[in-house]
Structures are given as C-alpha cells and as structure tokens.
Amino acid sequence: MTGTVAADRAVHPSVDVVCLGESMVTFLPTRPGRLADVPSYDRTIGGAESNVACALAGAGHTVKWISRVGADGFGDHLVEAIGAYGVDTSGVRRDPDRPTGIYFRTATDRATDTHEVAYYRAGSAASAMAPGTLAPEDLWAGRVLHLSGITPALSDDCLALTRELTRRVPGRPLLSFDINHRPGLWRDADGARVLLDLARGADLVLVGEDEAAEAWDLHGADAIRAALPEPETLVVKRGSEGATAYTRTVSSGTGGADRGAGDTGERGGGGARDRSAGDTVVSVPALRVDVVAPVGAGDAFAAGFLSATLRGLPVEARLRHGHLMAAAALTVAGDLATPPSRAHADRLAALDADAWGTLRLGPGWTGADEPEVRTP
C-alpha cells in the first residue's frame, strides 16, 4: 500500500497516532516585558509531542500520549488538560520522586533578542523515561509513532530510549521524527550529530531549513535530503517560503515494511518534479498569516501533515494541511489552537494555486465560515 499509512503497520493498532515526549506546565506573561518585570502569568501547557497529540485529536484522530509526570499538582493539571482535548493519557506514568517540568517565557517572538525562557525541567519526571520503563503495548499502539529531537536531549536514559525506538525492526509503526533541535538542552556538543543519526532511523522526518543550517551546516532542501537519504519522506520547512517534501516508495523489508508515508506518484500544483534518485519533490508556498504569536506552529504543521498522511491524501495536500494547521497556531497566543473543521480545511486545501497564493488568514479564521481575505 502506498499513499496512506498501512493499517497493519503495528501488530494491533488501537489508535491512529502515539506521541511520546515531555509536556510541561507553561506560564505565559499577562503583558509584554522582561521576566523580571512581568507581575503575573497565565497557566497553560506546552510540549512538542503533546501539542501534536492535541492538534491531531482536535482534527478527529484517535491519539495516545505517553510520558512521565510528577505525582504533583502540575502533573495532575497536564494529564487533565491534555485529556480534555480527547487524547488518551492512560500511558502516562506518575513519578513519586521527580517533579513535573515547568517553564516561563516572555510574550515576544522567540527569534528576537528580547525573548526569554526560564526552564525548570532538570531532573523532571519525563527525563527518567528509559528503555524498559514504558509498556511496549502502549508504544506500538498506533499506526504512527511520533517522536521529536527534544526527548533524547533530556537525559542519557531518554537518549537510549529514543535510540531503541528509532531502530528499524520488523512490524514497528510508521516512525515520525521532528528534529526540534534545542542546543541548550544537550549536555555536550554532539547533540546535532546524534539527532542526524536518530533521524536516519525514521520513516518520516520533519526539519526546519534554518535548524538544519544551525545544527548541521546544511543549506537548502536538496543538501538536507542528500544528508538524510534514509527516511522515505523528508519534509523541509522553509519558513515564509513554504515547505518541500521528498518522497519515495520503498519495497517491503525490515523497519516497518509497506511504507505509506510517501507516494512517489503524487504531483502537486506544478510543484512536483521527479529525481533520478527515486524521489518525487513537492513544494507548497506558505500562507499569508496575521501572526499573533509564533509559537507552536512547527508542532501544528507536523500534526496537519500527519493527519493528511493518515487519510491517504496526496503529498501536496499533506503540505497544505500542514500549513493550515500551522496558521491556526500562529493566530492564537498560546501553543495550541482549535483547528479548522476537516471539511473547512479540505475546502481550503483544494484551492487552485492562484487562490492559495492570495489566501490570508487572521485571528478567528478557524471558526469563521469565510475566513479568507483576498489580497490585491
């Protein structure tokens, strides 16, 4: 089967996607300013993998989140808040000896010099995730297992767990890996190289063009693909320029045979081209968005792409759904947004190239009947 995720990738998949990783209680400032000056904060939740889980559940998929949290009030809040999105949290373990991670951040753009983040996650419950501490029936419960490069940076045990999960073994679910390079989390200078090695074991890899340049000194989507030929699908996010997907079909073998993440027969809006190496390359421009806060967009993009992959949509549509889900996140203040209805997203994703190029989305667009604003 190509063009969709095979239903029998896991032995007995009970959900669409399993997301594994740390989530933290997040404190957002009630007004702009330095952390030293902000008098009060609003409490919310944040975590790359749980963000993906919540967005996928909001898009109508069955999702399970696996992690460890402390046996404390913040752990209670995380499990309840993520569960309220419709995510199965039965695979979350409570740690009586380690706390739930928390962090504070300023209201400014992460890319600016004035942005501050204060993490209190060292020695957190999630950092104790290790091989043998999580139930295999939970890890392989989905058609897709989604990981990110944040987890292996948390501790040596978390790195060992991620190495184990990215090994190519028969029957594993489709392995999705978002690079999420966080240099400040790594304990030594080898973090970037480790991420590259881990990504080579995945079936679907998502990476930002900017983070590939920072981590690996790779510039341009083709250079990234040359360094990562193993994944059957590679998605390079190019910021305001859009996103490019490299896909190929692989014959049955170990490491989750009968891959469905990439269908080389897809063509998209004139953006696809065949490559001699067997890839088909599809590029889709980014949307015009009135940005409220540039946080959570990468996780939302991953959720949109995975959602469309699970539905067996063409590669161009997968990229467009990624952009649409990212636009939902960009137009709210926090990491998580209410996604558009499936029918709404499908209608926008089906626009012709000219209409897509003039689409503009602002706050509240996911709940509006006609949210698009045409630009001259």
Side-chain angles (χ1 to χ4, degrees), residues 239-260:
S240 62
E241 297 299 312
T244 298
Y246 296 76
T247 60
R248 73 171 186 273
T249 300
V250 174
S251 59
S252 297
T254 60
D258 192 16
R259 307 292 189 202

Side-chain angles (χ1 to χ4, degrees), residues 169-193:
V169 295
R172 77 173 187 189
L174 186 144
L175 200 292
S176 168
F177 190 79
D178 194 338
I179 296 298
N180 265 322
H181 181 229
R182 299 288 188 270
L185 287 178
W186 287 93
R187 300 164 299 287
D188 54 49
D190 290 335
R193 178 190 56 78

Side-chain angles (χ1 to χ4, degrees), residues 22-25 43 68-80 92-102 120-121 123-126:
E22 181 174 36
S23 189
M24 294 177 289
V25 173
R43 185 185 65 174
R68 289 173 71 90
V69 300
D72 50 31
F74 287 142
D76 293 341
H77 176 63
L78 280 176
V79 172
E80 292 168 6
V92 178
R93 300 292 178 258
R94 307 303 293 264
D95 191 321
D97 301 316
R98 298 175 182 84
T100 303
I102 65 173
Y120 298 90
R121 73 194 306 179
S124 69

Side-chain angles (χ1 to χ4, degrees), residues 2 16 32 76 82 125 135 144 170 186 192 208-209 213 250 256 266 303 318 322 343 345 348 360 376:
T2 57
D16 290 331
D76 293 341
I82 293 170
V144 175
W186 287 93
E209 194 172 42
V250 174
E266 305 296 357
R318 299 177 198 185
L348 295 181
R360 183 163 186 159

